[in-house]
Amino acid sequence: NDNKDKSSNGKIRKAAQADLPKLLDVDCECDSIVIKRLKLGRKELKEALDKRFFETNKEFYVFQKANVILGYATLKAEFPGYKNCELSWVAVKQKYHNKGIGKLLVKFIESISKKKGFRNIYAYTSEKGNDRVHEFYKNLGYRRINALEDYYSDGTRAVLYGKSLNE
């Protein structure tokens, strides 16, 4: 299920358990506003990643170039409503931001979701101090649906974005 992308000489593949230390490196180096705001250290990020990785409704896909994992995304194969799924995590190492890796990962997750019969895909992101991520989703055709109060443990709001996979 490898997806080679000629423009970046990278490829996307399904993550394996052996990739977990490298996925943790991505989380630690992705410059996430949420990770910074919640003051999550490597230990907390590892616990959260280990928990997410072994949930049966999630599939992890990595982008790698020259055998180095630069980013990853997660498909959660359920979301309220009929044939909905969630793009539940997208992370790219900060020094590789703005090189199209996140976009490739999202497009790959969308393609897989469509093949699995999902009709809509959703993503949550932090509302506060996260303008570049909001622009990222909007540029990929996602629409802002609503905001949810107290979504994160520090009480901040999340914004829900959605996209039809049939567009």
Side-chain angles (χ1 to χ4, degrees), residues 1-6 8-14 61-64 104-105 107-109 111-112 115:
N1 217 11
D2 287 356
N3 178 35
K4 290 193 187 298
D5 178 78
K6 291 175 178 55
S8 62
N9 296 318
K11 71 175 183 174
I12 296 174
R13 64 168 174 80
K14 197 163 190 175
Y61 294 90
V62 301
F63 176 90
Q64 71 178 46
L104 285 172
L105 283 163
K107 293 287 188 191
F108 186 81
I109 294 285
S111 173
I112 289 206
K115 286 178 189 159

Side-chain angles (χ1 to χ4, degrees), residues 136-152:
F136 173 77
Y137 283 119
K138 288 176 188 170
N139 290 337
L140 288 170
Y142 286 74
R143 294 176 314 280
R144 181 183 169 121
I145 295 175
N146 64 12
L148 294 100
E149 301 291 336
D150 299 324
Y151 184 82
Y152 295 100

Side-chain angles (χ1 to χ4, degrees), residues 24-166:
L24 179 59
D25 290 343
V26 171
D27 284 349
C28 290
E29 297 174 37
C30 71
D31 194 39
S32 161
I33 191 81
V34 174
I35 291 171
K36 283 197 265 187
R37 197 178 57 238
L38 299 179
K39 296 177 176 68
L40 300 175
R42 193 170 181 93
K43 181 175 178 269
E44 293 90 353
L45 288 172
K46 182 183 185 314
E47 289 169 4
L49 174 61
D50 288 347
K51 181 177 181 251
R52 287 193 330 266
F53 191 82
F54 293 106
E55 290 176 1
T56 56
N57 63 351
K58 292 190 177 165
E59 295 177 15
F60 284 62
Y61 294 90
V62 301
F63 176 90
Q64 71 178 46
K65 188 172 182 176
N67 292 322
V68 178
I69 294 174
L70 306 181
Y72 75 97
T74 307
L75 167 64
K76 182 177 178 185
E78 60 185 46
F79 194 86
Y82 182 67
K83 293 194 176 187
N84 294 334
C85 63
E86 181 182 348
L87 174 63
S88 68
W89 198 265
V90 180
V92 175
K93 290 181 178 183
Q94 183 182 14
K95 63 183 173 183
Y96 298 101
H97 284 189
N98 300 311
K99 297 191 183 314
I101 295 169
K103 180 179 180 179
L104 285 172
L105 283 163
V106 171
K107 293 287 188 191
F108 186 81
I109 294 285
E110 289 173 358
S111 173
I112 289 206
S113 300
K114 196 170 182 172
K115 286 178 189 159
K116 290 176 177 282
F118 290 108
R119 295 171 66 182
N120 300 294
I121 189 164
Y122 295 90
Y124 290 102
T125 192
S126 175
E127 181 177 61
K128 190 175 163 188
N130 214 11
D131 293 343
R132 71 181 165 86
V133 175
H134 294 278
E135 284 304 308
F136 173 77
Y137 283 119
K138 288 176 188 170
N139 290 337
L140 288 170
Y142 286 74
R143 294 176 314 280
R144 181 183 169 121
I145 295 175
N146 64 12
L148 294 100
E149 301 291 336
D150 299 324
Y151 184 82
Y152 295 100
S153 61
D154 67 347
T156 54
R157 291 172 18 142
V159 175
L160 176 64
Y161 283 93
K163 179 179 181 178
S164 167
L165 293 170
N166 300 317

